[in-house]
Amino acid sequence: MFSRDIGIDLGTANVLIHVKGKGIVLDEPSVVAMDRTTGRVLEVGEEARRMVGRTPGNIEAIRPLKNGVIADFDVTEAMLKHFINKINVRGFLSKPRMLICCPTNITKVEQKAIKEAAEKSGGKRVYLEEEPKVAAIGAGMEIFQPSGNMVLDIGGGTTDVAVLSMGNIVTAESIKMAGDKFDIEILQYIKKKYKLLIGERTAEDIKVNIGTVFQGSRKEEMDIRGRDMVSGLPRTITVYSDEIERALRESIALITQGARAVLERTPPELSADIIDRGVILTGGGALIDGIDQLLAEELKVPVFISDEPMHCVARGTGIMLENIDKVDRKKIV
Ligand code: ADP
Ligand code: MG
């Protein structure tokens, strides 16, 4: 009987759910708002995100998967259940199979607990899979062929670099530098240079609207507001693309170094394939201006940004579930 397979991209910044035959049905930030005193969950996802940095003392907006690890497991579990319930799995004709992509660094115990949480929320068989593999599939790479494919997934908490061949990861690295750290770098730069305190949301706006990582590729400016560290009062300043490029230079270098290390450990035949096919960028961090140019220059290989990079993992879960027999079951918990 027709059952709707469900794929879940449990990201550090965003959770996406893909349903077979329907596409992406849920796309929300990985944020949970809780009442500190009672421990009760107040809001999850978009509603909770609006509260980040704006909550009164007793309410806390938590990002349970901060920095690419599960910082708060109970909250992660509550969030996962909330999202699965939101798409009304119980209303499906039959229990669906589920494939969940989690950050690469989570422990075996955490993997098991995530699986159980998904089963309790209505999953018939729940599989966990490594994120870079699914990202590569979602980006349209032919990873089941005997040829080298390189993917760089720049998320919120981590950047995962992997070379894949015949459906498996050959060399890989998880770097603790990604989109959210860029925001922190920008925030700290503004604080130091202008003695102005801004929030993470403002820092992210700067990154998205005027930020670049390739010198001279973008020349824009933006007025931003924050709190003056000396007077304690609100103040407006103008920031420019050039200075954001400088502020992000060291962080971006960590990503290029990690990617280079993976290339250096890649067998020569596969390296040759990568020169032909190029590196594919996925994840929200792939949207920062100039990253393809910078990486192409540093790695000396062609670099492409996938279509809708933030949807790759979710799309990949759909394709993977259809090919689950091809997947190395040993790797699946
Ligand atoms: P995760 O897989 O960890 O949940 P995502 O792939 O959803 O992460 O990417 C989230 C990151 O992408 C965030 O740090 C966000 O600020 C960043 N991002 C999203 N859109 C853009 C953009 N247009 N320019 C730069 N960064 C972006
Ligand atoms: Mg991701």
Side-chain angles (χ1 to χ4, degrees):
M1 192 177 73
F2 180 68
S3 114
R4 294 193 188 276
D5 288 339
I6 294 184
I8 303 176
D9 170 8
L10 184 61
T12 62
N14 297 290
V15 177
L16 284 83
I17 301 188
H18 181 279
V19 175
K20 186 177 175 178
K22 283 195 175 174
I24 292 164
V25 297
L26 184 139
D27 180 355
E28 297 211 35
S30 322
V31 184
V32 178
M34 300 197 51
D35 187 320
R36 245 191 249 267
T37 36
T38 63
R40 210 162 62 88
V41 173
L42 301 174
E43 298 282 359
V44 183
E46 197 52 57
E47 296 295 322
R49 178 178 143 102
R50 282 203 208 108
M51 297 180 177
V52 173
R54 293 204 173 99
T55 52
N58 60 328
I59 299 174
E60 193 179 11
I62 302 172
R63 301 200 37 197
L65 295 141
K66 221 171 175 158
N67 303 324
V69 290
I70 297 188
D72 189 324
F73 191 81
D74 294 340
V75 180
T76 301
E77 194 178 344
M79 182 177 77
L80 180 65
K81 284 184 175 165
H82 173 92
F83 287 141
I84 296 177
N85 289 337
K86 202 166 171 180
I87 63 159
N88 194 24
V89 170
R90 294 217 165 81
F92 285 26
L93 284 178
S94 59
K95 277 186 159 193
R97 292 188 299 180
M98 285 188 193
L99 175 69
I100 306 181
C101 268
C102 326
T104 27
N105 301 321
I106 69 168
T107 65
K108 282 267 179 262
V109 176
E110 289 171 339
Q111 288 181 12
K112 238 182 131 174
I114 284 187
K115 226 186 122 187
E116 280 166 17
E119 278 162 358
K120 272 189 226 150
S121 308
K124 182 172 65 184
R125 284 220 59 174
V126 181
Y127 308 94
L128 296 194
E129 190 45 276
E130 290 163 302
E131 193 165 1
K133 199 193 265 186
V134 185
I137 293 178
M141 294 183 125
E142 301 269 341
I143 69 156
F144 295 107
Q145 304 295 319
S147 54
N149 292 283
M150 181 158 166
V151 64
L152 222 134
D153 180 79
I154 310 173
T158 58
T159 295
D160 289 290
V161 194
V163 171
L164 302 123
S165 176
M166 297 176 73
N168 275 310
I169 292 177
V170 180
T171 44
E173 185 131 349
S174 183
I175 308 154
K176 280 198 176 289
M177 171 55 69
D180 297 346
K181 292 267 182 66
F182 298 163
D183 303 345
I184 304 292
E185 286 299 330
I186 292 172
L187 185 151
Q188 278 167 353
Y189 165 83
I190 304 279
K191 183 173 163 189
K192 208 167 147 199
K193 169 104 187 268
Y194 298 102
K195 303 277 173 286
L196 188 75
L197 295 174
I198 59 166
E200 287 180 32
R201 294 286 305 267
T202 302
E204 187 183 19
D205 285 344
I206 297 172
K207 172 181 74 178
V208 171
N209 294 314
I210 67 158
T212 183
V213 295
F214 193 72
Q215 211 175 351
S217 110
R218 199 178 198 185
K219 294 220 170 290
E220 280 168 78
E221 58 180 75
M222 182 177 170
D223 287 342
I224 56 157
R225 280 168 280 277
R227 178 156 57 88
D228 189 283
M229 285 170 74
V230 183
S231 72
L233 300 173
R235 180 158 70 100
T236 304
I237 59 160
T238 307
V239 288
Y240 300 87
S241 298
D242 283 346
E243 54 185 332
I244 302 305
E245 186 273 322
R246 284 195 300 276
L248 295 179
R249 210 176 276 174
E250 277 178 36
S251 308
I252 266 304
L254 293 177
I255 294 180
T256 18
Q257 278 159 24
R260 198 176 284 150
V262 167
L263 275 172
E264 283 166 4
R265 292 200 311 267
T266 299
E269 294 293 351
L270 298 181
S271 302
D273 295 338
I274 292 163
I275 294 175
D276 289 340
R277 300 163 161 240
V279 177
I280 303 272
L281 304 184
T282 65
L287 291 167
I288 191 157
D289 180 84
I291 185 111
D292 46 343
Q293 286 160 282
L294 179 87
L295 287 166
E297 198 175 275
E298 295 283 330
L299 304 177
K300 314 265 185 286
V301 292
V303 177
F304 306 101
I305 301 168
S306 63
D307 274 351
E308 298 181 288
M310 293 178 85
H311 289 175
C312 280
V313 171
R315 260 198 324 256
T317 58
I319 304 170
M320 192 112 196
L321 277 163
E322 280 169 24
N323 293 282
I324 204 87
D325 49 315
K326 282 194 201 167
V327 179
D328 184 359
R329 289 293 182 84
K330 286 199 301 290
K331 288 262 173 68
I332 296 178
V333 194

Short mmCIF file of all heavy atoms in Angstrom, two decimals, residues 12 65-70 103-106 154-161 173-182 185 251 254-255 258:
data_model
loop_
_atom_site.label_atom_id
_atom_site.label_comp_id
_atom_site.label_asym_id
_atom_site.label_seq_id
_atom_site.Cartn_x
_atom_site.Cartn_y
_atom_site.Cartn_z
N THR A 12 20.89 22.36 12.82
CA THR A 12 21.17 23.18 14.00
C THR A 12 20.45 24.53 13.90
O THR A 12 20.12 25.13 14.90
CB THR A 12 22.67 23.43 14.17
OG1 THR A 12 23.15 24.16 13.03
CG2 THR A 12 23.44 22.14 14.26
N LEU A 65 20.14 22.69 19.38
CA LEU A 65 21.23 22.03 18.65
C LEU A 65 22.37 22.99 18.35
O LEU A 65 23.06 22.87 17.36
CB LEU A 65 20.71 21.47 17.33
CG LEU A 65 19.70 20.34 17.46
CD1 LEU A 65 18.61 20.47 16.43
CD2 LEU A 65 20.37 19.00 17.35
N LYS A 66 22.57 23.93 19.24
CA LYS A 66 23.59 24.94 19.00
C LYS A 66 24.97 24.34 18.73
O LYS A 66 25.33 23.33 19.32
CB LYS A 66 23.67 25.88 20.20
CG LYS A 66 23.85 27.29 19.75
CD LYS A 66 23.74 28.29 20.86
CE LYS A 66 24.07 29.62 20.22
NZ LYS A 66 23.60 30.75 20.88
N ASN A 67 25.71 24.95 17.84
CA ASN A 67 27.08 24.54 17.50
C ASN A 67 27.23 23.13 16.96
O ASN A 67 28.29 22.52 17.04
CB ASN A 67 28.02 24.70 18.71
CG ASN A 67 28.03 26.11 19.24
OD1 ASN A 67 27.93 27.06 18.45
ND2 ASN A 67 28.10 26.29 20.53
N GLY A 68 26.15 22.59 16.42
CA GLY A 68 26.28 21.29 15.78
C GLY A 68 26.29 20.10 16.71
O GLY A 68 26.51 18.97 16.29
N VAL A 69 26.04 20.33 17.99
CA VAL A 69 25.88 19.21 18.91
C VAL A 69 24.55 19.42 19.63
O VAL A 69 24.01 20.51 19.64
CB VAL A 69 27.01 19.12 19.97
CG1 VAL A 69 28.31 18.72 19.33
CG2 VAL A 69 27.16 20.42 20.72
N ILE A 70 24.04 18.35 20.22
CA ILE A 70 22.78 18.50 20.92
C ILE A 70 23.08 19.07 22.31
O ILE A 70 23.57 18.38 23.18
CB ILE A 70 22.03 17.17 20.98
CG1 ILE A 70 21.68 16.75 19.54
CG2 ILE A 70 20.77 17.30 21.83
CD1 ILE A 70 20.79 15.56 19.40
N PRO A 103 23.02 16.20 12.98
CA PRO A 103 24.40 16.67 12.89
C PRO A 103 25.36 15.48 13.03
O PRO A 103 25.05 14.51 13.73
CB PRO A 103 24.54 17.61 14.10
CG PRO A 103 23.16 18.01 14.45
CD PRO A 103 22.29 16.87 14.06
N THR A 104 26.49 15.55 12.35
CA THR A 104 27.42 14.41 12.34
C THR A 104 28.02 14.06 13.69
O THR A 104 28.43 12.94 13.92
CB THR A 104 28.58 14.69 11.35
OG1 THR A 104 28.76 16.09 11.26
CG2 THR A 104 28.30 14.11 10.00
N ASN A 105 28.06 15.05 14.59
CA ASN A 105 28.80 14.83 15.84
C ASN A 105 28.01 14.19 16.98
O ASN A 105 28.53 14.00 18.06
CB ASN A 105 29.33 16.15 16.36
CG ASN A 105 30.22 16.82 15.36
OD1 ASN A 105 30.99 16.14 14.69
ND2 ASN A 105 30.12 18.12 15.23
N ILE A 106 26.75 13.85 16.76
CA ILE A 106 25.98 13.39 17.91
C ILE A 106 26.37 11.98 18.34
O ILE A 106 26.80 11.16 17.53
CB ILE A 106 24.45 13.50 17.68
CG1 ILE A 106 23.96 12.49 16.66
CG2 ILE A 106 24.06 14.90 17.27
CD1 ILE A 106 22.44 12.40 16.65
N ILE A 154 27.48 23.87 4.40
CA ILE A 154 27.73 24.92 5.41
C ILE A 154 26.41 25.23 6.10
O ILE A 154 25.53 25.86 5.52
CB ILE A 154 28.32 26.19 4.76
CG1 ILE A 154 29.50 25.83 3.86
CG2 ILE A 154 28.74 27.18 5.85
CD1 ILE A 154 30.05 27.00 3.05
N GLY A 155 26.25 24.73 7.31
CA GLY A 155 25.00 24.92 8.03
C GLY A 155 25.09 26.07 9.00
O GLY A 155 25.80 27.06 8.77
N GLY A 156 24.34 25.95 10.11
CA GLY A 156 24.40 26.97 11.13
C GLY A 156 25.57 26.72 12.07
O GLY A 156 26.36 27.60 12.35
N GLY A 157 25.68 25.48 12.56
CA GLY A 157 26.69 25.15 13.56
C GLY A 157 27.97 24.55 13.02
O GLY A 157 29.04 24.76 13.58
N THR A 158 27.86 23.73 11.97
CA THR A 158 29.06 23.09 11.45
C THR A 158 29.09 23.11 9.93
O THR A 158 28.05 23.21 9.27
CB THR A 158 29.15 21.59 11.86
OG1 THR A 158 27.98 20.92 11.39
CG2 THR A 158 29.29 21.41 13.35
N THR A 159 30.30 23.00 9.43
CA THR A 159 30.50 22.81 7.99
C THR A 159 30.97 21.37 7.82
O THR A 159 31.96 20.97 8.43
CB THR A 159 31.56 23.78 7.46
OG1 THR A 159 31.06 25.11 7.59
CG2 THR A 159 31.88 23.51 6.00
N ASP A 160 30.23 20.61 7.05
CA ASP A 160 30.62 19.22 6.81
C ASP A 160 31.15 19.07 5.40
O ASP A 160 30.46 19.39 4.44
CB ASP A 160 29.43 18.29 7.03
CG ASP A 160 29.09 18.19 8.51
OD1 ASP A 160 29.88 17.58 9.24
OD2 ASP A 160 28.06 18.75 8.92
N VAL A 161 32.38 18.60 5.31
CA VAL A 161 33.00 18.39 4.00
C VAL A 161 33.13 16.90 3.80
O VAL A 161 33.56 16.19 4.70
CB VAL A 161 34.43 18.99 3.95
CG1 VAL A 161 34.92 19.08 2.52
CG2 VAL A 161 34.49 20.34 4.61
N GLU A 173 35.30 15.59 6.94
CA GLU A 173 35.71 16.40 8.07
C GLU A 173 34.52 17.26 8.50
O GLU A 173 33.76 17.73 7.66
CB GLU A 173 36.86 17.31 7.63
CG GLU A 173 37.45 18.11 8.74
CD GLU A 173 38.98 18.01 8.78
OE1 GLU A 173 39.56 17.16 8.08
OE2 GLU A 173 39.57 18.78 9.52
N SER A 174 34.35 17.42 9.81
CA SER A 174 33.32 18.30 10.30
C SER A 174 34.01 19.47 11.00
O SER A 174 34.77 19.26 11.94
CB SER A 174 32.41 17.55 11.28
OG SER A 174 31.37 18.40 11.68
N ILE A 175 33.78 20.65 10.48
CA ILE A 175 34.48 21.83 11.00
C ILE A 175 33.50 22.64 11.84
O ILE A 175 32.38 22.89 11.42
CB ILE A 175 34.98 22.71 9.82
CG1 ILE A 175 35.78 21.86 8.84
CG2 ILE A 175 35.79 23.89 10.30
CD1 ILE A 175 35.78 22.42 7.43
N LYS A 176 33.95 23.05 13.02
CA LYS A 176 33.04 23.80 13.89
C LYS A 176 33.06 25.28 13.52
O LYS A 176 33.37 26.15 14.33
CB LYS A 176 33.46 23.62 15.34
CG LYS A 176 32.97 22.32 15.91
CD LYS A 176 33.01 22.37 17.43
CE LYS A 176 32.44 21.12 18.03
NZ LYS A 176 31.01 20.99 17.90
N MET A 177 32.79 25.55 12.28
CA MET A 177 32.72 26.94 11.82
C MET A 177 31.66 26.96 10.73
O MET A 177 31.74 26.20 9.77
CB MET A 177 34.09 27.37 11.28
CG MET A 177 34.08 28.71 10.59
SD MET A 177 33.44 30.07 11.58
CE MET A 177 34.69 30.28 12.82
N ALA A 178 30.64 27.79 10.92
CA ALA A 178 29.58 27.86 9.92
C ALA A 178 28.79 29.15 10.11
O ALA A 178 29.25 30.06 10.81
CB ALA A 178 28.68 26.63 10.04
N GLY A 179 27.61 29.20 9.51
CA GLY A 179 26.82 30.43 9.45
C GLY A 179 26.63 31.18 10.76
O GLY A 179 26.76 32.40 10.80
N ASP A 180 26.35 30.45 11.83
CA ASP A 180 26.08 31.14 13.10
C ASP A 180 27.32 31.81 13.68
O ASP A 180 27.25 32.86 14.32
CB ASP A 180 25.49 30.18 14.13
CG ASP A 180 24.14 29.64 13.68
OD1 ASP A 180 23.56 30.20 12.73
OD2 ASP A 180 23.67 28.64 14.27
N LYS A 181 28.48 31.19 13.43
CA LYS A 181 29.73 31.79 13.92
C LYS A 181 30.04 33.06 13.14
O LYS A 181 30.65 33.98 13.67
CB LYS A 181 30.90 30.80 13.78
CG LYS A 181 30.81 29.60 14.70
CD LYS A 181 31.58 29.87 15.99
CE LYS A 181 31.54 28.67 16.93
NZ LYS A 181 32.25 27.52 16.42
N PHE A 182 29.63 33.08 11.89
CA PHE A 182 29.83 34.31 11.10
C PHE A 182 29.09 35.45 11.80
O PHE A 182 29.61 36.56 11.90
CB PHE A 182 29.28 34.18 9.68
CG PHE A 182 29.93 33.11 8.82
CD1 PHE A 182 29.29 32.67 7.66
CD2 PHE A 182 31.14 32.56 9.16
CE1 PHE A 182 29.86 31.69 6.86
CE2 PHE A 182 31.72 31.58 8.35
CZ PHE A 182 31.08 31.14 7.20
N GLU A 185 31.03 36.61 14.77
CA GLU A 185 32.21 37.39 14.34
C GLU A 185 31.79 38.82 13.99
O GLU A 185 32.48 39.78 14.33
CB GLU A 185 32.87 36.76 13.11
CG GLU A 185 33.64 35.49 13.37
CD GLU A 185 34.81 35.68 14.32
OE1 GLU A 185 35.39 36.79 14.36
OE2 GLU A 185 35.12 34.71 15.04
N SER A 251 37.51 33.40 9.91
CA SER A 251 36.55 32.30 10.05
C SER A 251 36.47 31.49 8.76
O SER A 251 36.48 30.26 8.77
CB SER A 251 35.15 32.85 10.35
OG SER A 251 35.22 33.73 11.43
N LEU A 254 39.18 28.97 8.09
CA LEU A 254 39.06 27.65 8.74
C LEU A 254 38.31 26.67 7.85
O LEU A 254 38.60 25.48 7.80
CB LEU A 254 38.33 27.78 10.08
CG LEU A 254 39.07 28.54 11.18
CD1 LEU A 254 38.20 28.64 12.42
CD2 LEU A 254 40.38 27.84 11.52
N ILE A 255 37.32 27.20 7.13
CA ILE A 255 36.54 26.34 6.22
C ILE A 255 37.39 25.92 5.01
O ILE A 255 37.41 24.76 4.64
CB ILE A 255 35.24 27.05 5.79
CG1 ILE A 255 34.34 27.21 7.03
CG2 ILE A 255 34.52 26.30 4.66
CD1 ILE A 255 33.01 27.88 6.78
N GLY A 258 39.87 23.28 6.15
CA GLY A 258 39.22 21.97 6.33
C GLY A 258 38.96 21.29 5.00
O GLY A 258 39.19 20.09 4.84
#
